[in-house]
């Protein structure tokens, strides 16, 4: 089991892995989703709970996932099977592959909007609809056009496929090394722009001054769920990236770096967006449309807004792309490892399948908008099943697997590889990690999971009566 597979592709460098994994983590979740759910849930109080969730659950589970990949050098299905020889656990990896299919099929649609909005920004269209209501209407007019939505969706999928087609070092690692620094610089520029706007202080207050009364059970559960999504946890993406890692790299240090970068980027995005939203007097709780409905209106009211609007949507597209390649890579690695497909064929064929799977989701904004099950359209159903059921379930099972099935007597020697110095200097770190993984995360994730499927509220109501 310890023998490294010499033929398997590897990251070219330590930093290459961290860039790629941070690229997977940092995405629409940070720039699109985090600000709007923080905005809807009281700002700073949500942020605080989210930070705690990241530290006590996100980081331990992330380390477990990367370690599963590095130890087995396999895709999620192969990794679980190799360590357990059990079909049940292999099928847990299979859930991850299915989640990869599903998440990418809707993620790439929103990413397509981001690309479409680069074109909108360049063409100066935002200046034609400067008020939020008109900007929101303009957004609806765009997505109601199936050609607009499908065209940008297809374009984004092709970009994703090209990078995964090129492979680990030449594709994913190279793309991440170029794009991540650009992303970082662009976000910092936007944050400085936000901070220097008149009235920016109010936005900062909103983000940093917690109102304790706003913290409720549902804030905690929402924050925990988002911690999973934003760190790409629970479906084997980090496992797959970890499988291209070598034994000399430190898994805990890489995990810490990824968590640090992802969190900093979310906070910087939050500062860039809320300072601007408050400076022009818009509502921070505008919901999922926050960046597409309100930001165009924010940009047109700020000096230099034309350039900043273009930069912003380029940034959003880059962030989405470094995440979407990790989603496609999970699926591709399964077919390459287990079904012996060629990487090139897998990237093209599976990319096309995912696009086709996404067509009904894309059309649920126009032609299929009346098709609803339980009041959810096709897009919402796929998002709900993948993000709210498969990810927390995957995270729960990964913690249980590592702590209880694989067993710490086998896990710890593997974790120590490449991290000997760290654990020699701080032996108590291991104790913490074991406790978090064995007890804390399974129990807490279990609650998120119940909440996600709406059971928790029902049980709580039962007690309240
Ligand atoms: N972490 C990504 C984001 O925050 O946008 C989303 C994501 C990517 C989730 C890859 C899951 C995944 F496997």
């Amino acid at each position: 089991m310890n023998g490294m597979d010499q033929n398997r592709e590897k990251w070219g460098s330590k930093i290459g892995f961290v860039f790629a994994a941070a690229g997977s983590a940092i995405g629409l979740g940070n720039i699109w989703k985090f600000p709007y759910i923080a905005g809807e849930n009281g700002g700073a109080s949500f942020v605080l709970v989210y930070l705690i969730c990241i530290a006590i659950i996100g980081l331990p589970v992330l380390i477990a996932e990367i370690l599963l990949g590095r130890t087995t050098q396999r895709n999620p299905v192969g990794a679980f099977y190799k360590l357990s020889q059990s079909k049940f656990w292999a099928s847990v990896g299979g859930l991850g592959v299915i989640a990869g299919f599903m998440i990418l099929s809707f993620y790439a649609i929103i990413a397509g909007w981001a690309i479409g909005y680069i074109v909108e920004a360049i063409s100066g269209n935002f200046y034609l609809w400067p008020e939020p209501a008109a900007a929101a209407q303009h957004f609806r007019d765009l997505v109601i056009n199936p050609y607009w939505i499908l065209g940008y969706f297809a374009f984004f999928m092709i970009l994703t496929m090209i990078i995964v087609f090129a492979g680990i070092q030449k594709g994913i690692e190279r793309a991440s090394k170029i794009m991540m620094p650009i992303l970082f610089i662009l976000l910092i520029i936007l944050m400085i722009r936000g901070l220097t706007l008149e009235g920016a202080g109010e936005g900062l207050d909103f983000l940093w001054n917690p109102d304790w009364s706003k913290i409720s059970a549902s804030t905690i559960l929402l924050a925990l769920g988002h911690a999973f999504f934003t760190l790409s946890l629970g479906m084997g993406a980090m496992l797959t990236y970890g499988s291209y890692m070598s034994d000399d790299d430190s898994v805990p240090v890489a995990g810490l770096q990824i968590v640090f970068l992802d969190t900093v980027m979310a906070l910087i995005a939050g500062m860039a967006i809320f300072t601007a939203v408050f400076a022009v007097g818009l509502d921070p709780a505008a919901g999922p449309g926050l960046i597409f409905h309100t930001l165009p209106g924010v940009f047109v009211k700020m000096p230099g807004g034309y350039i900043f609007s273009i930069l912003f949507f380029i940034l959003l597209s880059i962030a989405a792309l470094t995440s979407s390649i990790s989603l496609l890579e999970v699926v591709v690695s399964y077919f390459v490892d287990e079904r012996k497909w060629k990487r090139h064929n897998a990237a093209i064929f599976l990319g096309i399948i995912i696009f086709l799977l996404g067509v009904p989701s894309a059309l649920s904004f126009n032609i299929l908008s009346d098709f609803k099950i339980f009041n959810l359209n096709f897009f919402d159903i796929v998002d709900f099943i993948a993000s709210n059921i498969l990810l927390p379930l995957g995270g729960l099972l990964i913690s249980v697997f590592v702590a209880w099935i694989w067993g710490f007597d086998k896990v710890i020697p593997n974790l120590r590889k490449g991290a000997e110095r760290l654990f020699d200097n701080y032996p108590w770190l291991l104790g913490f990690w074991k406790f978090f993984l064995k007890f804390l995360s399974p129990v807490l994730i279990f609650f998120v999971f119940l909440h996600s499927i709406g059971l928790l509220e029902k049980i709580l109501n039962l007690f309240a009566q």
Side-chain angles (χ1 to χ4, degrees):
M1 195 159 69
N2 288 330
M4 286 271 168
D5 184 344
Q6 296 308 323
N7 295 324
R8 193 175 168 82
E9 275 201 85
K10 285 261 154 37
W11 302 108
S13 60
K14 249 181 235 191
I15 195 71
F17 166 72
V18 173
F19 269 134
S24 167
I26 298 162
L28 295 172
N30 302 59
I31 305 172
W32 163 72
K33 203 168 186 186
F34 171 72
Y36 95 71
I37 47 178
E40 281 181 333
N41 290 280
S45 15
F46 176 86
V47 174
L48 193 80
V49 180
Y50 161 81
L51 291 177
I52 296 172
C53 291
I54 291 275
I56 65 172
I57 301 181
L59 181 60
V61 176
L62 176 62
I63 291 173
E65 235 195 271
I66 301 174
L67 187 67
L68 272 173
R70 188 185 67 170
T71 307
T72 57
Q73 310 267 299
R74 289 281 188 286
N75 64 91
V77 176
F80 279 103
Y81 191 72
K82 191 169 176 178
L83 293 171
S84 66
Q85 302 294 322
S86 126
K87 286 241 162 70
F88 169 77
W89 285 105
S91 66
V92 170
L95 280 184
V97 176
I98 292 171
F101 267 104
M102 294 175 73
I103 296 182
L104 186 51
S105 81
F106 71 82
Y107 198 82
I109 295 173
I110 304 180
W113 298 350
I115 297 192
Y117 263 61
I118 301 177
V119 177
E120 292 297 304
I122 293 173
S123 66
N125 274 356
F126 296 156
Y127 289 86
L128 302 177
W129 296 280
E131 293 311 318
Q137 188 52 45
H138 178 58
F139 174 75
R140 281 190 287 272
D141 290 343
L142 288 174
V143 298
I144 214 157
N145 177 353
Y147 298 108
W148 189 85
I149 246 192
L150 288 175
Y152 284 114
F153 173 28
F155 180 69
F156 183 82
M157 276 309 295
I158 291 170
L159 292 180
T160 306
M161 283 149 69
I162 291 174
I163 299 174
V164 173
F165 180 96
I168 297 304
Q169 283 196 21
K170 289 206 197 100
I172 297 179
E173 184 166 350
R174 194 198 294 165
S176 306
K177 271 184 168 162
I178 299 171
M179 291 196 282
M180 292 311 287
I182 299 179
L183 181 68
F184 203 65
I185 293 168
L186 283 183
L187 252 191
I188 301 238
I189 295 176
L190 277 168
M191 181 188 69
I192 294 173
R193 171 67 281 198
L195 291 175
T196 48
L197 286 171
E198 214 174 308
E202 232 182 300
L204 288 180
D205 252 14
F206 181 73
L207 200 61
W208 294 120
N209 274 345
D211 170 358
W212 301 101
S213 67
K214 290 248 169 73
I215 297 182
S216 63
S218 90
T219 323
I220 298 174
L221 297 167
L222 214 74
L224 188 54
H226 185 62
F228 267 88
F229 188 80
T230 191
L231 290 175
S232 307
L233 287 181
M235 54 152 289
M238 290 299 181
L239 185 159
T240 306
Y241 272 16
S243 75
Y244 305 114
M245 206 179 176
S246 81
D247 271 354
D248 335 320
D249 301 342
S250 164
V251 174
V253 170
L256 198 66
Q257 287 166 331
I258 295 162
V259 164
F260 174 79
L261 289 172
D262 185 73
T263 308
V264 166
M265 292 291 231
L267 296 177
I268 293 180
M271 284 197 270
I273 289 168
F274 287 123
T275 47
V277 165
F278 277 90
V280 294
L282 289 171
D283 177 15
L290 185 67
I291 61 174
F292 292 103
H293 294 187
T294 61
L295 283 189
V298 170
F299 288 126
V300 298
K301 292 197 189 87
M302 66 161 73
Y306 177 73
I307 295 293
F308 285 111
S309 65
I310 299 172
L311 286 181
F312 178 82
F313 287 105
I314 291 179
L315 169 123
L316 193 62
S317 308
I318 291 178
L321 191 57
T322 53
S323 298
S324 65
I325 52 184
S326 72
L327 288 159
L328 184 57
E329 181 60 28
V330 171
V331 180
V332 165
S333 72
Y334 166 72
F335 282 89
V336 169
D337 287 351
E338 306 296 318
R339 309 266 160 189
K340 307 293 169 219
W341 288 19
K342 295 251 176 307
R343 165 173 289 276
H344 289 179
N345 299 343
I348 297 173
F349 182 73
L350 296 167
I352 294 173
I353 298 284
I354 290 170
F355 173 76
L356 294 177
L357 193 69
V359 168
S361 293
L363 297 184
S364 65
F365 292 93
N366 37 66
I367 300 173
L368 297 180
S369 60
D370 289 335
F371 172 82
K372 289 203 167 136
I373 303 176
F374 300 122
N375 216 13
L376 295 175
N377 64 28
F378 201 86
F379 181 100
D380 298 330
I381 293 170
V382 180
D383 178 9
F384 179 79
I385 296 177
S387 315
N388 296 340
I389 297 185
L390 295 182
L391 290 191
L393 186 63
L396 174 66
L397 291 168
I398 287 167
S399 311
V400 169
F401 181 81
V402 171
W404 298 89
I405 310 288
W406 188 11
F408 285 128
D409 48 333
K410 297 198 206 72
V411 172
I412 299 299
N414 280 302
L415 182 64
R416 284 184 65 87
K417 284 184 198 157
E420 292 85 357
R421 260 219 335 254
L422 178 78
F423 290 128
D424 288 345
N425 291 339
Y426 307 100
W428 49 269
L429 281 176
L430 270 181
F432 265 108
W433 184 67
K434 280 160 66 174
F435 172 74
F436 284 166
L437 211 62
K438 200 162 183 173
F439 303 108
L440 204 64
S441 49
V443 171
L444 287 179
I445 299 166
F446 184 68
F447 281 117
V448 184
F449 183 54
L450 284 188
H451 175 75
S452 299
I453 49 181
L455 277 180
L456 192 63
E457 276 106 322
K458 288 197 189 115
I459 295 171
L460 288 178
N461 283 344
L462 223 73
F463 279 111
Q465 277 161 13

